Amino acid sequence: MILEAVLVGLTRFLVGGRAYWLGAQPTSRQRIYFANHRSNADTVVLWAALPPPLRRRTRPVAAQDYWAHGRLRRLFALDVLHAVLIDRGGGRDALDPLHEALAEGCSLIIFPEGGRGPGPAPLPFKSGLYHLALAHPGAQLVPVWLDDVGRALPKGVSIPIPVSTRALIGAPIAPDPGETRDAFLTRARDAVVALGLSLHPDLPVAPPEPPHA
Amino acid sequence: MRDLLLAPLPLTFEALFVFLLVASLVGRALARRRPEDATIRNANDRIRSWWAISVILAITFAFGTTATILLFALVSFWCLREFLSLTPTRLADHYALAAAFYLFLPLQFALLLWPWPGVFVIAIPVYGFLALPALSLVFGETDDFLQRVAKIQWALMLTVYALSHAPALLLLRFDDYPAGPFGLLAFLLLVTQGSDVAQYLAGKRFGRTPLAPRISPNKTREGLLYGGGAATVLGGALHGLTPFGFWGALAMAAVLVAAGALGGLVLSAVKRSLGAKDWGTMIEGHGGMLDRMDSLAFSAPLLFHLANYFWAV
């Protein structure tokens, strides 16, 4: 509880991270919040942006290779954020802990790009979001645009700088009957990008080219 | 007890609270008559914010010099954060920005407590000026180097260096000055912020001719003339808070009003060049912290230097 207050207080003080509920209300419904990912601070900013009762039953999904590293980071990941740690290279059953958490009734925060992209436009989404959506039709899929977190703590540096960040929370989406996996994933990514475009009309929309393609 | 309440500074706060009470009552009556009016709603938001600001200031003043310096350090931090959030910066500037926030900002306010008062005047203009561009070299990125360096230096000068001159008034010593150092700080805040409020009200009531339509469409010549005039008279009336005497306080208030108006216009131009209307959303009815501090950033250094040059011992 104290550590939660410290982490939330520090996040607010340094980077703000105010939530704007544009397309959904902060209710206790089970949800999968999915967001763009540019910074190691994304997890904490989105988690801290939720009102306390929601925050306590919303578990961020985080990469084991980063968050299980070092005693302090591990303490925060497991005891404060109650993160679901996953093995990024683990194939299909890497999703098992997520299915478990959803079956227990928790909400999740996930970053479907599977890693941090090089530019402001999100990378193409990985299929995990689609599989979770099909297996848990009761959970609402809510797109989130995290704004400027990548400036506060960019990839490659370890000290965050104070920049006012925002979490724009959009309207829920769901896979349509008969919709293909790729069509749904494109639509989910578009929903996140649309929120970003509302702040930055000149945001590049297309996903960045993979470097070795 | 009676003497304490009637000393210049407590009396000023009492008068301020009475004024706010009247403003709140009038605002409530107007809101009841016209509940849909957006201007009245905004005015009531502003009155509520002024209550909060005045109470916080009164409590902080009561705790003394260190608490007041800390409060301004916090305000400065929020202003710098708002400024740099709207200013496009790059990864290559990350360490320069980190130094601005974690080194130069705390250093500037810590130096106010240092027994050698000259240092706070040169820390950012000399040491910051030299160290920050050096830190911008770290990533070896030369694109827009001059623009990047200039933005950070300007942000730091405005939101940290200039604003720190408000609590720096507490360091000045004068002969025959019964109100004490907090009097001069109260004078600065009341005249500068009073001028903003009076210009806003006079502009709403009498405003016809735009002052600078491309820079700040809501400001009018009438607002500046009548509102600024009222704030100057207020400054003369508050001469008991200063060591300047009546005419000195009147002249100083005129300088503060002019500097504050220019500060508001300059910061509006900066904001517009960055494509924004407000600096943030922190203060209800006002926008961001920097929307409230823009005039103070220009008036505080002037009051400090003029008072220091002509009156201080």
Side-chain angles (χ1 to χ4, degrees):
Chain A
M1 269 317 240
I2 294 168
L3 284 178
E4 179 182 333
V6 168
L7 190 60
V8 172
L10 201 64
T11 307
R12 288 260 185 288
F13 181 70
L14 284 182
V15 298
R18 201 167 131 180
Y20 292 79
W21 298 86
L22 304 176
Q25 289 308 308
T27 64
S28 57
R29 247 198 101 148
Q30 187 179 33
R31 281 179 173 155
I32 301 172
Y33 298 93
F34 61 99
N36 57 325
H37 195 23
R38 286 197 70 192
S39 167
N40 280 329
D42 285 334
T43 311
V44 176
V45 171
L46 180 46
W47 171 82
L50 299 173
L54 267 63
R55 193 189 299 144
R56 301 216 176 95
R57 42 192 304 275
T58 304
R59 302 180 62 187
V61 176
Q64 189 152 19
D65 49 87
Y66 175 75
W67 284 95
H69 215 269
R71 194 182 284 175
L72 191 65
R73 220 182 273 170
R74 201 183 161 80
L75 172 81
F76 272 102
L78 295 180
D79 294 352
V80 185
L81 297 167
H82 303 291
V84 184
L85 294 182
I86 54 165
D87 175 8
R88 269 198 280 209
R92 269 222 52 185
D93 44 333
L95 289 182
D96 286 352
L98 277 61
H99 287 299
E100 259 168 53
L102 285 168
E104 284 165 17
C106 290
S107 293
L108 294 182
I109 292 172
I110 73 170
F111 299 100
E113 293 164 67
R116 291 171 295 160
L123 297 166
F125 281 7
K126 301 243 192 260
S127 61
L129 183 67
Y130 180 71
H131 296 304
L132 292 176
L134 289 191
H136 303 274
Q140 264 187 342
L141 304 176
V142 178
V144 180
W145 174 263
L146 290 172
D147 195 53
D148 267 352
V149 185
R151 265 175 83 196
L153 186 66
K155 205 171 174 171
V157 303
S158 50
I159 319 165
I161 53 164
V163 169
S164 314
T165 64
R166 286 176 283 193
L168 267 51
I169 298 163
I173 65 165
D176 291 329
E179 191 177 24
T180 63
R181 188 187 75 176
D182 290 347
F184 171 74
L185 291 173
T186 307
R187 193 156 63 86
R189 182 181 173 279
D190 288 347
V192 172
V193 172
L195 291 166
L197 281 170
S198 70
L199 294 178
H200 311 281
D202 52 351
L203 181 79
V205 176
E209 294 288 319
H212 45 76
Chain B
M1 188 65 187
R2 193 167 172 276
D3 282 353
L4 183 71
L5 289 175
L6 290 178
L9 190 62
L11 195 61
T12 309
F13 270 110
E14 285 151 26
L16 177 64
F17 288 134
V18 171
F19 178 78
L20 284 175
L21 196 63
V22 173
S24 291
L25 292 174
V26 171
R28 189 173 293 187
L30 284 174
R32 202 169 300 148
R33 203 178 310 162
R34 277 184 282 165
E36 299 302 314
D37 194 318
T39 309
I40 293 174
R41 206 171 320 134
N42 179 260
N44 279 323
D45 284 346
R46 285 175 183 242
I47 293 168
R48 258 195 301 281
S49 298
W50 281 119
W51 268 112
I53 294 169
S54 308
V55 169
I56 290 170
L57 274 177
I59 294 173
T60 314
F61 279 18
F63 274 99
T65 307
T66 311
T68 307
I69 290 173
L70 272 176
L71 177 71
F72 275 91
L74 267 179
V75 168
S76 187
F77 171 84
W78 280 310
C79 287
L80 185 60
R81 200 182 87 173
E82 282 176 359
F83 192 102
L84 290 173
S85 298
L86 277 193
T87 313
T89 58
R90 299 205 197 158
L91 171 63
D93 302 316
H94 196 81
Y95 292 110
L97 292 167
F101 275 108
Y102 301 130
L103 178 64
F104 284 103
L105 191 152
L107 181 71
Q108 179 71 8
F109 288 91
L111 285 174
L112 293 180
L113 294 166
W114 195 254
W116 186 26
V119 189
F120 95 92
V121 187
I122 59 159
I124 289 172
V126 177
Y127 291 93
F129 181 77
L130 301 174
L132 293 168
L135 283 167
S136 283
L137 296 173
V138 173
F139 286 81
E141 170 80 57
T142 56
D143 284 355
D144 293 328
F145 189 76
L146 183 57
Q147 286 92 322
R148 284 161 37 205
V149 167
K151 271 178 206 159
I152 299 172
Q153 179 70 13
W154 206 81
L156 204 57
M157 283 298 285
L158 181 89
T159 60
V160 179
Y161 183 74
L163 273 183
S164 73
H165 284 74
L169 291 169
L170 303 176
L171 309 180
L172 296 177
R173 293 289 170 264
F174 306 93
D175 283 333
D176 187 25
Y177 177 34
F182 281 92
L184 202 53
L185 180 54
F187 176 79
L188 169 74
L189 298 174
L190 285 166
V191 172
T192 310
Q193 303 293 357
S195 172
D196 284 358
V197 174
Q199 285 183 49
Y200 169 82
L201 293 174
K204 288 266 176 251
R205 178 73 183 76
F206 306 108
R208 219 171 299 134
T209 334
L211 179 68
R214 290 180 55 198
I215 299 170
S216 190
N218 290 329
K219 289 205 175 72
T220 59
R221 279 192 212 176
E222 292 79 7
L224 176 62
L225 205 64
Y226 302 144
T232 307
V233 173
L234 172 72
L238 292 172
H239 70 271
L241 291 174
T242 73
F244 311 144
F246 175 74
W247 292 106
L250 197 71
M252 197 66 102
V255 172
L256 298 183
V257 167
L262 290 175
L265 287 174
V266 169
L267 270 285
S268 271
V270 173
K271 214 159 39 177
R272 250 151 250 283
S273 78
L274 297 171
K277 193 186 142 287
D278 288 329
W279 286 106
T281 53
M282 190 163 177
I283 311 181
E284 217 184 339
H286 290 276
M289 181 65 86
L290 197 49
D291 290 293
R292 213 53 338 281
M293 293 295 148
D294 49 7
S295 43
L296 198 67
F298 274 58
S299 63
L302 284 185
L303 179 62
F304 181 86
H305 286 294
L306 292 174
N308 194 18
Y309 190 79
F310 288 111
W311 280 280
V313 289

PDB file of all heavy atoms in Angstrom, chain B residues 216-232:
ATOM      1  N   SER B 216      -2.471  37.495 -28.884  1.00  0.00           N
ATOM      2  CA  SER B 216      -3.342  37.140 -27.768  1.00  0.00           C
ATOM      3  C   SER B 216      -4.705  37.763 -28.008  1.00  0.00           C
ATOM      4  O   SER B 216      -4.956  38.895 -27.595  1.00  0.00           O
ATOM      5  CB  SER B 216      -2.709  37.668 -26.472  1.00  0.00           C
ATOM      6  OG  SER B 216      -3.391  37.159 -25.372  1.00  0.00           O
ATOM      7  N   PRO B 217      -5.613  37.058 -28.706  1.00  0.00           N
ATOM      8  CA  PRO B 217      -6.853  37.662 -29.190  1.00  0.00           C
ATOM      9  C   PRO B 217      -7.754  38.210 -28.091  1.00  0.00           C
ATOM     10  O   PRO B 217      -8.600  39.062 -28.364  1.00  0.00           O
ATOM     11  CB  PRO B 217      -7.545  36.518 -29.950  1.00  0.00           C
ATOM     12  CG  PRO B 217      -6.819  35.285 -29.599  1.00  0.00           C
ATOM     13  CD  PRO B 217      -5.472  35.661 -29.100  1.00  0.00           C
ATOM     14  N   ASN B 218      -7.594  37.737 -26.836  1.00  0.00           N
ATOM     15  CA  ASN B 218      -8.495  38.201 -25.777  1.00  0.00           C
ATOM     16  C   ASN B 218      -8.033  39.485 -25.108  1.00  0.00           C
ATOM     17  O   ASN B 218      -8.775  40.075 -24.328  1.00  0.00           O
ATOM     18  CB  ASN B 218      -8.665  37.114 -24.715  1.00  0.00           C
ATOM     19  CG  ASN B 218      -9.464  35.943 -25.267  1.00  0.00           C
ATOM     20  OD1 ASN B 218     -10.322  36.130 -26.115  1.00  0.00           O
ATOM     21  ND2 ASN B 218      -9.154  34.747 -24.817  1.00  0.00           N
ATOM     22  N   LYS B 219      -6.795  39.904 -25.348  1.00  0.00           N
ATOM     23  CA  LYS B 219      -6.306  41.107 -24.655  1.00  0.00           C
ATOM     24  C   LYS B 219      -6.718  42.351 -25.443  1.00  0.00           C
ATOM     25  O   LYS B 219      -6.613  42.390 -26.657  1.00  0.00           O
ATOM     26  CB  LYS B 219      -4.785  41.065 -24.525  1.00  0.00           C
ATOM     27  CG  LYS B 219      -4.306  40.027 -23.519  1.00  0.00           C
ATOM     28  CD  LYS B 219      -2.937  40.382 -22.966  1.00  0.00           C
ATOM     29  CE  LYS B 219      -2.512  39.419 -21.874  1.00  0.00           C
ATOM     30  NZ  LYS B 219      -2.164  38.086 -22.396  1.00  0.00           N
ATOM     31  N   THR B 220      -7.179  43.381 -24.690  1.00  0.00           N
ATOM     32  CA  THR B 220      -7.609  44.615 -25.347  1.00  0.00           C
ATOM     33  C   THR B 220      -6.850  45.805 -24.779  1.00  0.00           C
ATOM     34  O   THR B 220      -6.326  45.743 -23.674  1.00  0.00           O
ATOM     35  CB  THR B 220      -9.115  44.863 -25.140  1.00  0.00           C
ATOM     36  OG1 THR B 220      -9.362  44.942 -23.735  1.00  0.00           O
ATOM     37  CG2 THR B 220      -9.943  43.745 -25.742  1.00  0.00           C
ATOM     38  N   ARG B 221      -6.803  46.895 -25.584  1.00  0.00           N
ATOM     39  CA  ARG B 221      -6.150  48.120 -25.124  1.00  0.00           C
ATOM     40  C   ARG B 221      -6.837  48.672 -23.886  1.00  0.00           C
ATOM     41  O   ARG B 221      -6.191  49.117 -22.946  1.00  0.00           O
ATOM     42  CB  ARG B 221      -6.215  49.177 -26.229  1.00  0.00           C
ATOM     43  CG  ARG B 221      -5.149  48.981 -27.261  1.00  0.00           C
ATOM     44  CD  ARG B 221      -5.092  50.210 -28.146  1.00  0.00           C
ATOM     45  NE  ARG B 221      -4.704  49.784 -29.477  1.00  0.00           N
ATOM     46  CZ  ARG B 221      -4.637  50.581 -30.519  1.00  0.00           C
ATOM     47  NH1 ARG B 221      -4.996  51.850 -30.402  1.00  0.00           N
ATOM     48  NH2 ARG B 221      -4.247  50.134 -31.675  1.00  0.00           N
ATOM     49  N   GLU B 222      -8.196  48.644 -23.924  1.00  0.00           N
ATOM     50  CA  GLU B 222      -8.944  49.175 -22.789  1.00  0.00           C
ATOM     51  C   GLU B 222      -8.630  48.376 -21.527  1.00  0.00           C
ATOM     52  O   GLU B 222      -8.467  48.947 -20.446  1.00  0.00           O
ATOM     53  CB  GLU B 222     -10.453  49.134 -23.073  1.00  0.00           C
ATOM     54  CG  GLU B 222     -10.924  50.085 -24.164  1.00  0.00           C
ATOM     55  CD  GLU B 222     -10.665  49.569 -25.584  1.00  0.00           C
ATOM     56  OE1 GLU B 222     -10.236  48.405 -25.713  1.00  0.00           O
ATOM     57  OE2 GLU B 222     -10.879  50.317 -26.541  1.00  0.00           O
ATOM     58  N   GLY B 223      -8.566  47.037 -21.690  1.00  0.00           N
ATOM     59  CA  GLY B 223      -8.253  46.178 -20.547  1.00  0.00           C
ATOM     60  C   GLY B 223      -6.909  46.550 -19.956  1.00  0.00           C
ATOM     61  O   GLY B 223      -6.759  46.697 -18.738  1.00  0.00           O
ATOM     62  N   LEU B 224      -5.906  46.705 -20.830  1.00  0.00           N
ATOM     63  CA  LEU B 224      -4.561  47.033 -20.355  1.00  0.00           C
ATOM     64  C   LEU B 224      -4.549  48.395 -19.671  1.00  0.00           C
ATOM     65  O   LEU B 224      -3.992  48.558 -18.585  1.00  0.00           O
ATOM     66  CB  LEU B 224      -3.579  47.014 -21.534  1.00  0.00           C
ATOM     67  CG  LEU B 224      -2.144  47.423 -21.199  1.00  0.00           C
ATOM     68  CD1 LEU B 224      -1.538  46.465 -20.187  1.00  0.00           C
ATOM     69  CD2 LEU B 224      -1.275  47.443 -22.450  1.00  0.00           C
ATOM     70  N   LEU B 225      -5.204  49.373 -20.293  1.00  0.00           N
ATOM     71  CA  LEU B 225      -5.183  50.745 -19.779  1.00  0.00           C
ATOM     72  C   LEU B 225      -5.890  50.835 -18.420  1.00  0.00           C
ATOM     73  O   LEU B 225      -5.302  51.286 -17.439  1.00  0.00           O
ATOM     74  CB  LEU B 225      -5.879  51.658 -20.798  1.00  0.00           C
ATOM     75  CG  LEU B 225      -5.464  53.108 -20.767  1.00  0.00           C
ATOM     76  CD1 LEU B 225      -4.000  53.244 -21.147  1.00  0.00           C
ATOM     77  CD2 LEU B 225      -6.352  53.923 -21.722  1.00  0.00           C
ATOM     78  N   TYR B 226      -7.153  50.381 -18.372  1.00  0.00           N
ATOM     79  CA  TYR B 226      -7.913  50.517 -17.130  1.00  0.00           C
ATOM     80  C   TYR B 226      -7.430  49.517 -16.078  1.00  0.00           C
ATOM     81  O   TYR B 226      -7.261  49.885 -14.911  1.00  0.00           O
ATOM     82  CB  TYR B 226      -9.415  50.342 -17.387  1.00  0.00           C
ATOM     83  CG  TYR B 226      -9.983  51.325 -18.385  1.00  0.00           C
ATOM     84  CD1 TYR B 226     -10.980  50.950 -19.278  1.00  0.00           C
ATOM     85  CD2 TYR B 226      -9.527  52.638 -18.425  1.00  0.00           C
ATOM     86  CE1 TYR B 226     -11.501  51.850 -20.201  1.00  0.00           C
ATOM     87  CE2 TYR B 226     -10.036  53.547 -19.346  1.00  0.00           C
ATOM     88  CZ  TYR B 226     -11.017  53.146 -20.236  1.00  0.00           C
ATOM     89  OH  TYR B 226     -11.517  54.034 -21.128  1.00  0.00           O
ATOM     90  N   GLY B 227      -7.245  48.274 -16.492  1.00  0.00           N
ATOM     91  CA  GLY B 227      -6.820  47.244 -15.542  1.00  0.00           C
ATOM     92  C   GLY B 227      -5.423  47.545 -15.017  1.00  0.00           C
ATOM     93  O   GLY B 227      -5.168  47.491 -13.811  1.00  0.00           O
ATOM     94  N   GLY B 228      -4.510  47.889 -15.950  1.00  0.00           N
ATOM     95  CA  GLY B 228      -3.149  48.229 -15.543  1.00  0.00           C
ATOM     96  C   GLY B 228      -3.129  49.474 -14.660  1.00  0.00           C
ATOM     97  O   GLY B 228      -2.386  49.537 -13.681  1.00  0.00           O
ATOM     98  N   GLY B 229      -3.969  50.430 -15.010  1.00  0.00           N
ATOM     99  CA  GLY B 229      -4.064  51.642 -14.187  1.00  0.00           C
ATOM    100  C   GLY B 229      -4.530  51.311 -12.781  1.00  0.00           C
ATOM    101  O   GLY B 229      -3.947  51.779 -11.791  1.00  0.00           O
ATOM    102  N   ALA B 230      -5.556  50.459 -12.682  1.00  0.00           N
ATOM    103  CA  ALA B 230      -6.079  50.075 -11.365  1.00  0.00           C
ATOM    104  C   ALA B 230      -4.989  49.373 -10.554  1.00  0.00           C
ATOM    105  O   ALA B 230      -4.832  49.627  -9.350  1.00  0.00           O
ATOM    106  CB  ALA B 230      -7.292  49.171 -11.531  1.00  0.00           C
ATOM    107  N   ALA B 231      -4.213  48.488 -11.223  1.00  0.00           N
ATOM    108  CA  ALA B 231      -3.165  47.754 -10.500  1.00  0.00           C
ATOM    109  C   ALA B 231      -2.065  48.694 -10.041  1.00  0.00           C
ATOM    110  O   ALA B 231      -1.466  48.494  -8.978  1.00  0.00           O
ATOM    111  CB  ALA B 231      -2.602  46.648 -11.387  1.00  0.00           C
ATOM    112  N   THR B 232      -1.783  49.741 -10.845  1.00  0.00           N
ATOM    113  CA  THR B 232      -0.767  50.711 -10.439  1.00  0.00           C
ATOM    114  C   THR B 232      -1.220  51.469  -9.197  1.00  0.00           C
ATOM    115  O   THR B 232      -0.447  51.660  -8.244  1.00  0.00           O
ATOM    116  CB  THR B 232      -0.506  51.692 -11.599  1.00  0.00           C
ATOM    117  OG1 THR B 232      -0.208  50.937 -12.780  1.00  0.00           O
ATOM    118  CG2 THR B 232       0.654  52.609 -11.295  1.00  0.00           C
TER     119      THR B 232
END
